[in-house]
Amino acid sequence: MLEIKNLHVCVGDKPILKGLTLSIQPGQVHAIMGPNGSGKSTLSYVLAGRAGYDITEGAIAYNGEDLAAMPPEQRAAKGVFLAMQYPVEIPGVTTMTFLKTALNAQRRTRGESDLDAIGVLKLVRAKAKALNVSEEMLKRALNVGFSGGEKKRLEILQMSLFEPKLAILDETDSGLDIDALKLVAEGVNALRSPERAMLVITHYQRLLDYIVPDRIHVLAGGRIVAEGGKELALELEAKGYEHIVGQDSIKRSA
Amino acid sequence: MSSPAQIETREAVAEIGDKYKYGFVTDIEMDMAPKGLSEDTVRFISAKKGEPEWMLEWRLAAFRRWLTMKEPKWARVHYPQIDYQDSYYYAAPKNTPLKQSLDEVDPKLLETYKKLGIPLNEQMALAGVAVDAVFDSVSVATTFKEKLNEAGVIFCPISEAIRDYPELVKKYLGTVVPVTDNFFATLNSAVFSDGTFVYVPKGVRCPMELSTYFRINASETGQFERTIIVADEGSYVSYLEGCTAPKRDVNQLHAAVVELVALDHAEIKYSTVQNWYPGDENGKGGIYNFVTKRGDCRGDHSKISWTQVETGSAITWKYPSCILRGDHSVGEFYSIAIANHFQQADTGTKMIHLGANTKSRIISKGISAGKAQNTYRGLVSVYGKAKNARNYTQCDSLLIGGACGAHTVPYIESRNPTARIEHEATTSKIAEDQLFYCLQRGIPQDEAVSLIVNGFCKEVLQQLPMEFAVEAQKLVGISLEGSVG
């Protein structure tokens, strides 16, 4: 589903990703772990198509198509979803209006007809219940005055609403207490399916106790420096990043 | 009874009438006054309208006054010197030949109508296509009129009111915006070609929203409109001006005057959606919209509320104001001003607190994009007798891109120590992360800008009558298309 080959990405003049290779199949959940500044968020932005993240080398194939050639809104319509670390506030735009606008914009890009207000409302209500997102929250301006937990729940609600093929979760655990984390993780787990791939980006092992990945990649210095099964997370937790990253730098210098 | 002067006037009018006959009647398309501005032009217009003598005298007095006045230069707008002798002051657009089908209409105009969601029948009416067969506007207007008649509401073109209700017109004309008020208002007084007259009798709640939209075929509005709305004691009326369709006016200068009078316990709500031609992306063409609008809360407990959505015009010079004369009277001003490309907007309000316990509220949302300049200019003035006067002002500016400008120029004067005046102002940009968030959720750029700006303007859009709020929202989006590179 997603084939990243030798990806080099610059932000301004600064190289951030330096030859990243990664492959994800439908139905799989992969985790990207790594210390601060290793390029985790850059990877998520470049997949989503944010301006200012320039690919200087390498390729990203998404279901056989060149992902980098698509504008961000088209990627969204084709099933790429990024749950953001810091969901933005849009004053004056109610959450419900935003969801309806986004849902119908995606449908239009795919050549489908708009859902009417009642259709969207029904759909959102059905999905919102499971994530403990209240009617009242949907009436408030998007993310304005939301708590950290509310913001993240709303991200997962959108994921459930848009039914992406590739969901990228960028530091979804940041700013959450353990109860909020469990709720969000349950929401994510409920969306695991044989057709859907997920890329979970996190600094800490703790999220992976709840969202158990099929495969873990350790990102450092813009490259994957270690890979393994879910037990790799425990090793990282026990020994720290330095252990693995350090080994790698020795390997490279050797 | 006629004085020599009146006889002379009559003769002069007759003479111009003759000139007109020879010069223009043979060609209906050219139903215009001779180019330039002189007493003859004023007489010509008055004669065309079949006005009584008092009206002509009033116009001539205004014209003579205008000759002594200078164009105001204090606004933050720049434009080449206007040659007032190089314009036509009367053109009857009614007689422009009707197009036979939509194929003859500028496709760009139709594209805009389509985006606004205006039904096809109305698109045809607005674009000046013969619509009698498909759209029975006459019957719409008739049912409308009957309903208003029942309520005793007068709603007609001002030229008709001058003929049919001269006493009412005399009583209120020029009492809110005096003939001598300012250069453009005085010019309007001399040469106004049409406009609207509304009178709502005591205790009557006008049974419907009044709008020029309904009378688009009954009386086309000209360059110099004159509108008077009078709400008698305890009455209520909501009036909407503009039909949100772009009017590709060939003439550059548009100088309207609007006068509102609210008597004891009366309320007037006046909403404007202005979408005149703004000029092209390079700043060529467009309307100079130099408008004087003022409401007089003449009675105790009266209320006047202005709501404006200004998206068009190359230059906007407009300060809808309230004179809070009656005790406990309330003035409100809700404004959205969008300036894109090379548009310049200098707009705001004046709240003049004369009576005790008067209250005013100003919410202004300015959006600048492209190379546009957008200025909020406002005055809150509390006079000595206005004890316990209250004002709340909020001015928010939103910038899109780095080449535009937003300016806030608030003037506050208080001569009463019990007055309480609050002013808040913010300036913000559409953040890159807001745009990216929308794009990531599948919302294309132009739609994202429209969504964010509509959110920014929400408090003002909410003030518009429901059916127009939807059109105004779309208009906000359309006028900012392509503003983010």
Side-chain angles (χ1 to χ4, degrees):
Chain A
M1 165 170 283
L2 183 70
E3 297 283 346
I4 305 174
K5 277 193 189 133
N6 188 32
L7 186 67
H8 291 252
V9 173
C10 283
V11 178
D13 293 334
K14 203 179 167 208
I16 306 287
L17 296 183
K18 304 164 192 168
L20 184 142
T21 296
L22 185 68
S23 168
I24 305 177
Q25 298 310 311
Q28 289 184 339
V29 174
H30 287 224
I32 301 270
M33 297 185 72
N36 290 327
S38 58
K40 299 193 301 290
S41 284
T42 297
L43 175 63
S44 72
Y45 288 147
V46 88
L47 289 174
R50 187 167 193 164
Y53 293 78
D54 303 320
I55 297 174
T56 51
E57 210 186 320
I60 309 168
Y62 170 69
N63 288 327
E65 285 187 89
D66 178 9
L67 190 70
M70 291 180 211
E73 66 272 26
Q74 200 184 335
R75 299 183 200 197
K78 290 202 172 191
V80 176
F81 178 85
L82 169 61
M84 301 208 195
Q85 183 176 5
Y86 304 109
V88 304
E89 301 181 356
I90 305 185
V93 176
T94 67
T95 302
M96 196 63 207
T97 300
F98 182 82
L99 296 179
K100 180 171 168 247
T101 307
L103 191 66
N104 280 330
Q106 290 187 21
R107 292 177 65 94
R108 245 173 275 146
T109 306
R110 290 194 295 259
E112 299 162 16
S113 62
D114 278 24
L115 285 180
D116 62 14
I118 295 168
V120 177
L121 190 68
K122 276 188 181 160
L123 196 61
V124 171
R125 272 188 184 151
K127 308 264 184 190
K129 222 173 172 185
L131 285 157
N132 200 17
V133 171
S134 66
E135 281 291 301
E136 185 268 334
M137 234 173 103
L138 295 170
K139 283 179 190 156
R140 272 150 61 189
L142 184 73
N143 288 320
V144 176
F146 283 29
S147 71
E150 285 175 330
K151 283 183 183 173
K152 294 297 166 76
R153 259 152 46 209
L154 186 63
E155 291 294 284
I156 305 307
L157 170 63
Q158 292 181 62
M159 178 171 151
S160 131
L161 192 63
F162 303 147
E163 300 182 329
K165 294 194 179 75
L166 171 67
I168 306 151
L169 291 90
D170 188 8
E171 309 261 359
T172 294
D173 49 333
S174 71
L176 295 188
D177 62 32
I178 197 72
D179 291 331
L181 181 68
K182 273 186 188 165
L183 193 67
V184 166
E186 274 169 28
V188 172
N189 285 328
L191 293 170
R192 289 176 86 144
S193 89
E195 295 82 38
R196 184 168 294 141
M198 290 189 194
L199 188 61
V200 180
I201 294 172
T202 183
H203 186 90
Y204 300 105
Q205 178 266 335
R206 129 185 128 143
L207 178 68
L208 304 182
D209 288 343
Y210 301 97
I211 304 172
V212 181
D214 299 303
R215 192 110 187 112
I216 292 175
H217 313 264
V218 178
L219 184 64
R223 306 197 314 178
I224 305 290
V225 293
E227 289 175 308
K230 56 183 184 237
E231 63 290 340
L232 183 59
L234 298 170
E235 193 189 333
L236 278 171
E237 182 79 352
K239 297 180 181 168
Y241 282 113
E242 250 174 69
H243 179 67
I244 286 172
V245 176
Q247 273 185 344
D248 178 65
S249 56
I250 292 162
K251 267 185 223 159
R252 249 184 286 161
S253 59
Chain B
M1 283 291 286
S2 299
S3 69
Q6 283 169 325
I7 292 163
E8 195 189 317
T9 306
R10 240 175 270 149
E11 279 168 2
V13 171
E15 201 188 317
I16 295 162
D18 278 343
K19 271 187 205 162
Y20 167 75
K21 199 171 172 182
Y22 293 117
F24 307 104
V25 144
T26 47
D27 187 354
I28 292 166
E29 290 173 39
M30 291 292 288
D31 193 3
M32 286 180 168
K35 207 177 205 178
L37 188 50
S38 65
E39 291 207 4
D40 284 350
T41 321
V42 177
R43 287 174 203 278
F44 175 92
I45 294 166
S46 190
K48 266 312 274 184
K49 295 276 159 195
E51 284 176 356
E53 242 163 73
W54 64 265
M55 195 63 240
L56 174 64
E57 287 306 321
W58 196 83
R59 284 176 181 274
L60 286 171
F63 177 71
R64 285 167 199 143
R65 175 76 188 196
W66 181 75
L67 289 174
T68 70
M69 296 170 88
K70 285 211 161 60
E71 220 175 301
K73 294 284 178 207
W74 43 261
R76 197 187 176 94
V77 295
H78 303 280
Y79 53 92
Q81 186 65 41
I82 298 170
D83 181 355
Y84 292 91
Q85 296 304 335
D86 193 34
S87 288
Y88 291 100
Y89 289 85
Y90 182 83
K94 237 188 221 172
N95 295 337
T96 47
L98 287 172
K99 298 181 180 71
Q100 290 312 304
S101 77
L102 276 177
D103 300 341
E104 295 173 43
V105 178
D106 183 357
K108 248 182 161 173
L109 195 63
L110 292 180
E111 185 59 25
T112 309
Y113 289 153
K114 220 170 107 190
K115 283 178 191 162
L116 285 169
I118 295 173
L120 188 68
N121 291 342
E122 288 165 44
Q123 284 185 29
M124 294 174 83
L126 293 167
V129 175
V131 289
D132 292 352
V134 284
F135 178 54
D136 192 359
S137 56
V138 177
S139 67
V140 171
T142 313
T143 30
F144 193 58
K145 273 224 155 113
E146 271 169 17
K147 226 172 156 185
L148 290 176
N149 275 344
E150 263 170 50
V153 174
I154 300 171
F155 175 48
C156 63
I158 196 155
S159 49
E160 211 174 295
I162 291 167
R163 232 174 27 237
D164 300 346
Y165 311 99
E167 293 316 310
L168 268 179
V169 175
K170 268 189 211 169
K171 191 171 172 189
Y172 293 105
L173 178 71
T175 63
V176 186
V177 179
V179 170
T180 55
D181 192 80
N182 71 72
F183 185 82
F184 298 115
T186 307
L187 177 63
N188 173 288
S189 302
V191 299
F192 72 85
S193 43
D194 219 326
T196 306
F197 182 81
V198 178
Y199 174 79
V200 188
K202 272 183 197 174
V204 170
R205 195 179 165 87
C206 189
M208 63 191 73
E209 305 268 352
L210 298 183
S211 163
T212 44
Y213 196 69
F214 288 103
R215 356 177 318 240
I216 204 139
N217 286 1
S219 162
E220 299 251 335
T221 51
Q223 246 179 301
F224 297 95
E225 300 151 55
R226 184 96 194 184
T227 294
I228 302 175
I229 299 176
V230 180
D232 212 327
E233 290 171 21
S235 69
Y236 169 83
V237 62
S238 166
Y239 181 84
L240 190 121
E241 165 198 54
C243 52
T244 79
K247 302 183 183 182
R248 304 259 166 151
D249 204 320
V250 289
N251 296 299
Q252 290 285 295
L253 180 65
H254 174 86
V257 170
V258 175
E259 298 182 274
L260 310 183
V261 179
L263 301 181
D264 287 358
H265 293 276
E267 181 178 348
I268 301 174
K269 191 172 160 60
Y270 192 104
S271 313
T272 305
V273 178
Q274 186 265 112
N275 185 28
W276 300 93
Y277 184 51
D280 65 13
E281 304 88 73
N282 303 311
K284 280 246 161 63
I287 301 294
Y288 295 169
N289 192 30
F290 298 155
V291 174
T292 305
K293 293 184 170 182
R294 198 172 301 152
D296 189 356
C297 284
R298 211 163 276 183
D300 293 347
H301 297 276
S302 58
K303 180 176 175 186
I304 288 177
S305 180
W306 297 100
T307 304
Q308 61 173 20
V309 179
E310 301 282 325
T311 68
S313 295
I315 299 178
T316 298
W317 180 97
K318 182 183 171 191
Y319 315 90
S321 304
C322 297
I323 300 164
L324 302 169
R325 200 182 302 275
D327 291 345
H328 301 277
S329 61
V330 178
E332 290 175 339
F333 175 73
Y334 297 97
S335 170
I336 296 170
I338 298 180
N340 195 4
H341 302 307
F342 284 87
Q343 280 177 276
Q344 306 173 61
D346 194 300
T347 184
T349 185
K350 286 187 273 188
M351 292 291 175
I352 313 294
H353 292 256
L354 301 178
N357 302 304
T358 47
K359 272 193 246 171
S360 63
R361 183 176 165 84
I362 299 168
I363 308 286
S364 163
K365 305 278 182 178
I367 298 112
S368 318
K371 294 189 170 148
Q373 295 295 328
N374 203 334
T375 303
Y376 168 82
R377 188 183 302 278
L379 168 69
V380 175
S381 185
V382 177
Y383 280 68
K385 285 179 184 163
K387 68 170 198 289
N388 297 320
R390 295 278 178 273
N391 164 264
Y392 174 74
T393 300
Q394 187 190 325
C395 292
D396 297 325
S397 302
L398 186 68
L399 299 170
I400 302 173
C404 55
H407 317 274
T408 303
V409 190
Y411 298 90
I412 296 168
E413 301 167 355
S414 179
R415 280 172 225 130
N416 190 306
T418 61
R420 202 187 299 158
I421 298 166
E422 286 175 74
H423 182 96
E424 287 179 26
T426 67
T427 302
S428 52
K429 276 194 159 198
I430 288 192
E432 190 272 334
D433 62 351
Q434 285 178 321
L435 272 181
F436 171 64
Y437 192 85
C438 292
L439 290 171
Q440 205 297 306
R441 299 302 141 96
I443 304 171
Q445 186 137 290
D446 279 337
E447 206 179 336
V449 170
S450 170
L451 186 76
I452 294 167
V453 173
N454 270 301
F456 173 76
C457 299
K458 194 179 190 182
E459 289 158 278
V460 176
L461 288 169
Q462 280 172 339
Q463 298 296 325
L464 284 173
M466 195 57 191
E467 59 270 44
F468 295 105
V470 177
E471 285 191 20
Q473 273 181 27
K474 289 183 186 162
L475 196 59
V476 165
I478 290 169
S479 55
L480 288 169
E481 264 175 17
S483 58
V484 177

